[in-house]
């Protein structure tokens, strides 16, 4: 191959970019080639979002991709096709495809198996029409709930993110579609939760919190692609960080796939980070660091790079990785043809909707039910109030087709059946008289509707108050990419609406449908019951209504804390002692209203007979912790046992509690099951003062609980031996066994 042909394999083009709307700041500055025919001269690395740019039905999309690939193959003398990639965070990112719950909702299920089934279904739909790579999952561990992209994450605990992220990777790749980890790394630790801001990270937090899910997906999941993060860490942009993208990712962890740039991240090295004079210098820095493919358009990895010259070893290194992946995908096989893919008749199939329904139903979290107001008996008159009550788009995340693309095509219908919460409540309670008032909007100062909402609430036997977010992009929503906030108060006029309605209503159920947790402590104390749903997808309204009626027994548990009354200074549960409440030291109380892992049911569970099979183990040994869970309530339900580690004395400060194991158990009323957690000493490892990961001898406390905030039942174990250094080959998962009853 000539140098021009090699460089062409590292680039990309977005054929219908003008229809795609805003997907990154300053994107028009870095458009790349205007004409598709110019972009594919000598070949092409990737095709960007052929399905996910504008509304197009499945068959038309398949034909469009086939035609583009035929042009790509004809334009280069080797007949090499492009890799076609799409977003797939809440489903195949195309019109008329199932909109699954957002990742924060997956995390609330604590169910890796179900997440894996969803990813396999997404991948099979994509593969059937010739899409080869999906830009998911997001493995950023939440560090500040004010960040707009919290909704895209799997929560604030690295172990939970790791287990669910691994399940997604394995599910998607089992369908023959390349999974792409993002954003590598530190994106969620941006200063003051501002998108693209520098990441405030020390090496220990980076290693023990941020990198853990990526490490697991690479080592255990054999993920085939990684996307760099936009941010810098301690002054070094991730897109130009050779230590991160080559030294750690490849040389240490053994990653063998391709590294793709986040959209326009190569050009950003010059325009935003100012670590290069121009886009050519940015391209050289990115290639040297280890970025193999520039997305979504070729701006740096093009003619300018060719004219400037590029070291042959760096060019050949990247091209070999790209061609190897194309070979693995079968794109270099002699019998591969652009038209060999056949679109399924339905991207929103009964299979897909069934998985979306299971996820939605398992993700709804019952936060509080102090007087047993839920499940509802047979309400006669119901006031359904709030801006999230009668808007289907409030069910979807930012990276869903309806919220990402359709705002630019207002004449186009939603493309999927997605009843609103109001619709679902009317369906669930057909004999009730239901009255709806919006009350206020998600944004702006208009509170003129609050008076009518108060009147409706005071006249009804029951008020269901549905508030939260409407997701969007770059300030067009209250949650989503570029929709960061300064404080965790409900957006728009919703704080005033909630206060007024709670004061007037006879009985109120507060329902949060949101992309992040909000500081609702005082509202929850005033409500008769409180539910949290994190953008539950197209089946979400029926799930919420089912929980309200009792048709569904809630089993969701929080993957993030719900803050109390301190809206401006959020923390996460994964914190050392000085980060928690400190009477006499600070007047600010960071104690959450509802802790990580919290979730109630319409039945009750007890934890008994907690024991360890050894009191001492070697620093390379393991211990089995057993606990018996009993359903002591009146109906069947699902318990979510959680195992937490406490390291009372260590050479560096450690989290007061840290999740190291979990499972789900379905229990009939009165039934008991015993759970075994097999904990290897590697699960206690951390980054020591010398910045090496180590297992340190000493006393440990292992607590079986139903949230991070409850006492649970504990056992103590002593680790004995010399401090042991471990690496990426360590045991990273606690094996869980549910013994026969």
């Amino acid at each position: 191959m000539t140098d021009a042909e090699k460089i062409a394999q590292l680039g990309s083009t977005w054929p219908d970019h003008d229809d795609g709307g805003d997907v990154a700041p300053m994107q028009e500055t870095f458009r790349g080639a205007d004409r598709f025919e110019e972009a594919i001269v000598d070949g092409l690395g990737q095709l960007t979002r052929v399905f996910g740019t504008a509304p197009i039905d499945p068959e038309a999309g398949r034909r469009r991709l086939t035609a583009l690939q035929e042009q790509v193959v004809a334009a280069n003398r080797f007949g090499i096709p492009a890799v076609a990639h799409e977003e797939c965070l809440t489903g195949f990112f195309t019109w008329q495809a199932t909109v699954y719950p957002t990742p924060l909702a997956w995390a609330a299920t604590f169910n890796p198996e179900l997440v894996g089934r969803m990813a396999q279904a997404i991948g099979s739909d994509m593969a059937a029409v010739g899409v080869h790579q999906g830009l998911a999952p997001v493995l950023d561990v939440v560090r500040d709930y004010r960040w707009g992209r919290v909704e895209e994450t799997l929560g604030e605990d690295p172990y939970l993110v790791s287990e669910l992220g691994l399940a997604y990777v394995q599910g998607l790749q089992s369908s023959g579609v390349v999974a792409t980890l993002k954003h590598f790394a530190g994106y969620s630790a941006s200063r003051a939760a501002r998108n693209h801001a520098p990441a405030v990270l020390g090496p220990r937090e980076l290693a023990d919190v941020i990198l853990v899910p990526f490490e697991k997906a690479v080592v255990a999941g054999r993920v085939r692609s990684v996307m760099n993060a936009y941010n810098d860490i301690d002054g070094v942009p991730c897109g130009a960080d050779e230590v991160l993208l080559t030294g750690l990712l490849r040389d240490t962890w053994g990653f063998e796939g391709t590294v793709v740039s986040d959209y326009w991240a190569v050009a950003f090295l010059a325009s935003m980070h100012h670590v290069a004079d121009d886009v050519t210098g940015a391209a050289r820095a990115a290639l040297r660091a280890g970025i193999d493919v520039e997305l979504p358009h070729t701006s740096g990895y093009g003619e300018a790079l060719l004219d400037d010259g590029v070291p042959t070893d760096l060019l050949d290194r990247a091209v070999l990785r790209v061609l190897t992946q194309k070979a693995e995908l079968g794109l270099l096989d002699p019998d591969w043809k652009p038209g060999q893919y056949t679109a399924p008749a339905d991207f929103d199939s009964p299979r897909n909707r069934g998985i979306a329904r299971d996820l939605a139903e398992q993700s709804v979290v019952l936060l509080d039910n102090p007087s047993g107001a839920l499940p509802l008996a047979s309400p006669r008159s119901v006031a359904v109030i709030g801006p999230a009550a009668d808007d289907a788009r409030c069910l979807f995340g930012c990276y869903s087709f309806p919220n990402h693309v359709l705002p630019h095509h207002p004449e186009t219908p939603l493309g999927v059946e997605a009843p609103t919460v109001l619709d679902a409540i009317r369906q669930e309670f057909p004999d009730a008289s239901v009255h709806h008032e919006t009350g206020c909007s998600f944004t702006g100062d208009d509170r003129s509707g609050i008076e009518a909402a108060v009147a409706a609430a005071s006249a009804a036997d029951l008020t269901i108050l549905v508030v939260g977010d409407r997701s969007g992009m770059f300030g067009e929503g209250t949650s989503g990419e570029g929709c960061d906030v300064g404080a965790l108060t409900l957006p728009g006029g919703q704080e005033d609406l909630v206060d007024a309605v709670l004061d007037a209503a006879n009985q109120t159920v507060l329902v949060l449908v949101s992309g992040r947790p909000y500081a609702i402590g005082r509202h929850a104390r005033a409500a008769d019951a409180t539910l949290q749903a994190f953008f539950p997808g197209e089946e979400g309204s029926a799930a919420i209504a089912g929980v309200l009626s009792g048709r569904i027994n809630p089993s969701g548990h929080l993957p993030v804390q719900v803050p109390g009354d301190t809206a401006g200074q959020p923390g996460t549960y994964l914190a050392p002692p000085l980060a928690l409440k400190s009477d006499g030291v600070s007047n600010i109380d960071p104690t959450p209203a509802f802790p990580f892992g919290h979730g109630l049911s319409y039945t009750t569970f007890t934890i008994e007979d907690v024991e360890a099979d050894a009191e001492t183990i070697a620093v390379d040994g393991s211990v089995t912790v057993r606990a018996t869970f009993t359903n002591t309530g009146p109906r069947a339900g699902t318990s979510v046992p959680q195992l937490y580690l406490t390291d009372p004395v260590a050479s560096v400060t450690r989290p007061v509690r840290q999740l190291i194991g979990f499972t789900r158990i379905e229990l009939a009323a009165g039934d008991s099951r015993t759970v075994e957690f097999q904990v290897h000493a590697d699960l206690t490892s951390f980054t020591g003062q010398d910045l090496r990961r180590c297992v340190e001898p000493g006393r440990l406390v292992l607590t079986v609980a139903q949230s991070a905030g409850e006492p649970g039942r504990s056992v103590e174990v002593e680790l004995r031996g010399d401090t042991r250094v471990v690496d990426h080959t360590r045991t990273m998962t606690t094996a869980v066994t549910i013994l026969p009853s």
Side-chain angles (χ1 to χ4, degrees):
M1 300 177 78
T2 66
D3 282 354
E5 290 169 328
K6 293 176 184 178
I7 289 174
Q9 292 297 315
L10 310 185
S12 61
T13 192
W14 194 344
D16 301 306
H17 173 262
D18 288 339
D19 294 326
D22 293 336
V23 296
M26 302 171 60
Q27 65 182 49
E28 287 303 316
T29 309
F30 310 112
R31 283 213 43 187
D34 287 335
R35 297 182 61 231
F36 179 71
E37 293 78 7
E38 296 172 357
I40 63 174
V41 172
D42 292 323
L44 184 68
Q46 296 217 7
L47 279 164
T48 296
R49 286 172 54 166
V50 175
F51 282 85
T53 298
I56 187 169
D57 67 60
E59 176 59 20
R62 185 194 65 80
R63 291 197 305 266
R64 170 71 169 146
L65 180 55
T66 296
L68 291 171
Q69 287 282 35
E70 287 172 345
Q71 289 180 267
V72 171
V73 169
N76 71 92
R77 63 191 177 105
F78 297 104
I80 301 172
V83 168
H85 77 258
E86 286 291 352
E87 302 285 356
C88 57
L89 193 63
T90 61
F92 183 13
F93 195 76
T94 190
W95 193 48
Q96 299 181 339
T98 304
V99 184
Y100 294 93
T102 202
L104 200 58
W106 318 342
T109 71
F110 278 64
N111 191 339
E113 185 276 332
L114 183 54
V115 171
R117 280 204 289 127
M118 175 198 66
Q120 192 278 330
I122 293 170
S124 67
D125 283 345
M126 295 168 72
V129 291
V131 177
H132 313 109
Q133 182 166 353
L135 304 188
V138 171
L139 298 188
D140 298 303
V141 179
V142 173
R143 304 304 286 161
D144 192 325
Y145 313 131
R146 297 174 297 177
W147 188 46
R149 303 190 78 166
V150 166
E151 63 172 67
E152 300 178 47
T153 75
L154 292 162
E156 66 183 78
D157 182 85
Y159 186 84
L160 180 64
V161 175
S162 297
E163 292 297 301
L164 296 170
L166 176 64
Y168 186 97
V169 166
Q170 292 175 329
L172 195 74
Q173 295 194 161
S174 72
S175 294
V177 174
V178 173
T180 308
L181 307 183
K182 56 187 193 181
H183 307 87
F184 192 63
Y187 192 32
S188 57
S190 60
R191 190 180 298 273
R194 291 180 60 250
N195 198 40
H196 285 222
V200 185
L201 286 168
R204 193 165 291 103
E205 182 180 0
L206 177 66
D208 291 354
V209 178
I210 301 298
L211 293 178
V212 169
F214 293 95
E215 182 181 24
K216 190 166 199 171
V218 170
V219 175
R222 311 307 299 172
V223 72
R224 295 161 74 187
S225 191
V226 173
M227 175 180 281
N228 76 284
Y230 284 129
N231 58 279
D232 68 69
I233 301 174
D234 196 24
V236 180
C238 296
D241 192 343
E242 188 173 3
V243 172
L244 181 72
L245 299 181
T246 297
L248 178 65
L249 180 63
R250 294 189 183 276
D251 297 343
T252 300
W253 292 349
F255 175 69
E256 295 180 343
T258 58
V259 175
V260 300
S261 79
D262 204 341
Y263 283 14
W264 293 285
V266 172
F268 285 168
L269 294 176
S271 65
M272 298 182 74
H273 292 289
H274 300 289
V275 296
D277 289 332
D278 53 27
V279 72
T280 301
R284 291 174 65 88
L287 190 65
R288 185 179 304 108
I291 292 180
D292 303 308
V293 180
E294 182 183 13
L295 301 180
H297 274 301
T298 301
S299 59
Y301 285 17
E303 290 185 5
L305 191 61
L306 179 63
D307 294 341
D308 190 64
V310 59
T312 300
D313 58 336
L314 294 183
L315 179 59
D316 288 352
R317 181 182 72 174
V319 175
L320 180 60
R321 292 168 182 166
V322 170
L323 293 178
T324 297
Q325 189 154 92
K326 289 186 176 183
E328 292 170 348
L329 288 166
L331 299 180
L332 305 187
D333 292 351
D335 59 347
W336 182 90
K337 297 289 186 291
Q340 70 186 45
Y341 306 98
T342 57
D346 187 4
F347 281 148
D348 194 23
S349 63
R351 174 201 65 174
N352 293 3
R353 291 198 75 103
I355 296 171
R357 185 179 308 116
D358 289 344
L359 281 163
E361 292 179 354
Q362 293 183 24
S363 71
V364 178
V365 183
L366 176 58
L367 293 179
D368 205 11
N369 193 24
S371 60
L374 295 180
L376 299 173
S378 298
R380 292 174 300 171
S381 61
V382 181
V384 180
I385 293 171
D390 196 27
D391 185 345
R393 285 181 55 194
C394 293
L395 304 172
F396 309 141
C398 165
Y399 271 83
S400 66
F401 195 87
N403 283 354
H404 201 106
V405 177
L406 290 187
H408 307 287
H409 303 271
E411 74 289 349
T412 304
L414 203 60
V416 293
E417 183 182 346
T420 68
V421 175
L422 177 63
D423 295 331
I425 288 172
R426 286 179 168 146
Q427 178 71 26
E428 196 78 23
F429 303 103
D431 297 328
S433 172
V434 178
H435 180 74
H436 170 246
E437 292 288 346
T438 300
C440 67
S441 66
F442 293 106
T443 58
D445 298 324
D446 185 4
R447 287 157 172 76
S448 60
I450 293 180
E451 183 178 353
V454 167
S458 61
D461 296 330
L462 169 71
T463 296
I464 301 174
L465 186 52
V466 189
V467 296
D469 286 315
R470 193 180 195 216
S471 193
M473 297 284 289
F474 302 109
E476 296 300 318
T478 61
S479 174
E481 185 172 0
C483 298
D484 315 314
V485 295
L488 294 169
T489 51
L490 292 169
Q494 293 180 97
E495 287 287 339
D496 291 342
L497 174 67
V498 173
D499 284 337
V501 170
L502 285 173
D503 187 56
N506 296 298
Q507 185 181 48
T508 309
V509 177
L510 179 62
V511 179
L512 277 294
V513 183
S514 64
R516 62 163 64 86
Y518 284 101
I520 60 163
R522 66 187 182 89
H523 300 319
R525 289 191 295 272
D528 294 284
T530 305
L531 295 181
Q532 172 70 63
F534 295 111
F535 292 148
E538 64 183 40
E539 291 285 337
S541 290
I544 292 169
V547 169
L548 291 173
S549 72
R551 175 173 55 84
I552 298 166
N553 194 352
S555 62
H557 285 250
L558 289 173
V560 287
Q561 297 182 138
V562 172
D565 298 329
T566 306
Q569 290 193 326
T572 70
Y573 99 97
L574 198 69
L578 290 186
L580 304 184
K581 182 180 179 181
S582 51
D583 289 335
V585 176
S586 172
N587 62 316
I588 294 176
D589 183 0
T591 304
F594 303 101
F596 173 88
H598 171 77
L600 301 180
S601 171
Y602 294 146
T603 189
T604 54
F605 304 99
T606 61
I607 307 171
E608 298 173 315
D609 303 326
V610 177
E611 60 181 11
D613 67 352
E615 294 182 357
T616 62
I617 62 171
V619 292
D620 60 352
S622 63
V623 61
T624 298
V625 177
R626 297 183 185 88
T628 299
F629 283 76
T630 301
N631 182 345
T632 56
R635 61 179 288 180
T638 302
S639 174
V640 180
Q642 299 158 43
L643 181 65
Y644 290 92
L645 168 70
T646 300
D647 189 348
V649 180
S651 57
V652 299
T653 60
R654 303 280 289 122
V656 175
R657 273 191 176 181
Q658 179 177 351
L659 184 73
I660 60 168
F662 63 88
T663 191
R664 290 173 59 95
I665 315 174
E666 295 182 4
L667 291 170
D671 279 0
S672 299
R673 297 293 294 272
T674 297
V675 180
E676 289 187 345
F677 297 95
Q678 186 172 354
V679 183
H680 195 279
D682 288 357
L683 272 297
T684 74
S685 66
F686 59 89
T687 301
Q689 292 188 16
D690 60 0
L691 298 183
R692 296 189 297 173
R693 180 173 286 277
C694 65
V695 177
E696 201 171 74
R699 181 172 63 95
L700 300 173
V701 179
L702 298 172
T703 302
V704 181
Q706 296 179 88
S707 81
E710 69 167 35
R713 299 291 184 91
S714 300
V715 293
E716 292 191 3
V717 175
E718 185 83 14
L719 284 179
R720 291 188 176 175
D722 296 328
T723 297
R724 174 170 154 260
V725 175
V726 296
D727 59 17
H728 62 282
T729 63
R730 69 189 183 279
T731 299
M732 289 187 267
T733 297
T734 294
V736 182
T737 303
I738 302 173
L739 301 181
S741 55

